[in-house]
């Protein structure tokens, strides 16, 4: 079946530091890949997505590239802000699972001023 | 612009009690989902629906039932609550465009079973 593995957290950074959150997946065929973000007390919201190999999703300074050869979709941001503090979830929807999402464990990011 | 609305937002139940969580969406989405979120486990799919009058089991369906009598509403029921059902529950909806669709989430219901 489908699965998603995220780097262990939590992650604590200083403002303006570089961020990487690793995500690898297992799926048959060509899944679509997503990063969702959950701010404190809120539901999840889509941050970015990529639907085929070598696609780069980007939004709000965050980027992630769909790497078929390494089955990875790592999230990066060059300079984090305090307002980026949140829980980040990597997820996939498979060719046979339609729009049903399989999530990683989530990574808590805290950015200190 | 309401999006996906869940009620209630918080609830404490005693073991063996029953309750229903309500999810309503105003985006005319065909697909709706119930997930539970537990520490260190991400979100796991409980049940989902691909249209009015249809439901299907997800990854962790035991102990839950659902109904989709109206397109805009998706109800999650716990017939006899257990402490293992203490969790945060999220409803989501999406359009039927295969595995490309963005899911929109509600703000969650925090349920504690004592």
């Amino acid at each position: 079946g489908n699965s998603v593995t995220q780097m262990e957290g939590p992650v604590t950074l200083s403002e303006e530091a570089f961020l990487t959150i690793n995500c690898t997946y297992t799926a048959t065929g060509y899944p679509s890949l997503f990063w969702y973000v959950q701010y404190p007390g809120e539901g999840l919201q889509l941050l970015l997505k990529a639907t085929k190999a070598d696609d780069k999703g980007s939004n709000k300074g965050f980027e992630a590239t769909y790497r078929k050869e390494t089955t990875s979709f790592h999230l990066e941001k060059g300079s984090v802000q305090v307002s980026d503090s949140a829980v980040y979830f990597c997820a996939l929807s498979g060719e046979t699972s339609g729009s049903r999402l399989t999530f990683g464990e989530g990574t808590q990011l805290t950015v200190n001023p | 612009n309401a999006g996906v609305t869940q009620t209630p937002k918080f609830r404490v139940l005693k073991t063996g009690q029953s309750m229903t969580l309500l999810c309503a969406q105003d985006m005319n989405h065909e697909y709706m989902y119930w997930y539970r979120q537990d520490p260190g486990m991400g979100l796991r799919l409980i049940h989902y629906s691909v249209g009015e009058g249809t439901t299907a089991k997800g990854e962790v369906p035991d102990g839950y039932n659902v109904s989709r009598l109206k397109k805009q509403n998706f109800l999650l029921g716990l017939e006899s609550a257990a402490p293992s059902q203490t969790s945060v529950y999220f409803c989501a909806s999406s359009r039927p465009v295969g595995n490309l669709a963005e899911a929109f989430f509600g703000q969650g219901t925090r349920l504690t079973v004592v």
Side-chain angles (χ1 to χ4, degrees):
Chain A
N2 299 334
S3 68
V4 176
T5 302
Q6 289 182 232
M7 67 183 292
E8 293 185 7
V11 175
T12 301
L13 296 173
S14 297
E15 205 166 23
E16 300 184 0
F18 184 84
L19 168 71
T20 299
I21 301 177
N22 290 337
C23 171
T24 57
Y25 69 89
T26 301
T28 55
Y30 294 87
S32 292
L33 301 174
F34 306 84
W35 277 100
Y36 279 83
V37 59
Q38 183 181 29
Y39 297 104
E42 298 184 10
L44 282 72
Q45 54 187 274
L46 181 67
L47 180 61
L48 54 84
K49 70 179 182 182
T51 58
K52 60 182 187 293
D54 300 325
D55 266 2
K56 178 184 284 188
S58 61
N59 187 26
K60 299 180 181 180
F62 291 88
E63 293 183 340
T65 301
Y66 188 144
R67 300 291 187 196
K68 181 73 172 171
E69 64 276 13
T70 54
T71 61
S72 65
F73 193 55
H74 305 322
L75 182 68
E76 296 181 336
K77 186 173 185 182
S79 177
V80 294
Q81 305 301 311
V82 172
S83 58
D84 293 327
S85 297
V87 182
Y88 293 81
F89 291 93
C90 185
L92 70 82
S93 58
E95 287 186 331
T96 58
S97 59
S99 54
R100 302 191 302 278
L101 292 165
T102 299
F103 285 90
E105 304 89 343
T107 300
Q108 172 74 57
L109 170 66
T110 301
V111 181
N112 295 320
Chain B
N1 196 9
V4 179
T5 302
Q6 293 181 231
T7 53
K9 290 185 170 45
F10 303 93
R11 185 73 186 268
V12 178
L13 285 180
K14 293 182 178 179
T15 298
Q17 287 185 317
S18 63
M19 79 165 293
T20 300
L21 283 67
L22 172 64
C23 177
Q25 52 96 3
D26 62 1
M27 296 172 284
N28 202 34
H29 285 168
E30 290 292 333
Y31 292 3
M32 296 186 74
Y33 317 82
W34 276 107
Y35 291 90
R36 58 178 289 172
Q37 181 183 23
D38 301 295
M41 302 186 74
L43 278 75
R44 293 178 293 168
L45 183 64
I46 305 171
H47 286 280
Y48 64 100
S49 168
V50 299
E52 181 178 320
T54 74
T55 63
K57 294 180 180 180
E59 182 184 355
V60 288
D62 294 342
Y64 305 95
N65 56 75
V66 289
S67 64
R68 183 99 181 267
L69 299 180
K70 295 183 178 181
K71 184 177 183 179
Q72 64 268 32
N73 295 337
F74 195 30
L75 278 63
L76 178 70
L78 286 72
E79 291 186 347
S80 179
S84 61
Q85 295 178 304
T86 293
S87 187
V88 181
Y89 292 85
F90 286 99
C91 177
S93 70
S94 69
R95 293 180 292 116
V97 286
N99 66 343
L100 306 178
E102 173 184 356
F104 293 82
F105 284 81
Q107 290 195 317
T109 297
R110 184 173 295 275
L111 175 67
T112 302
V113 183
V114 298

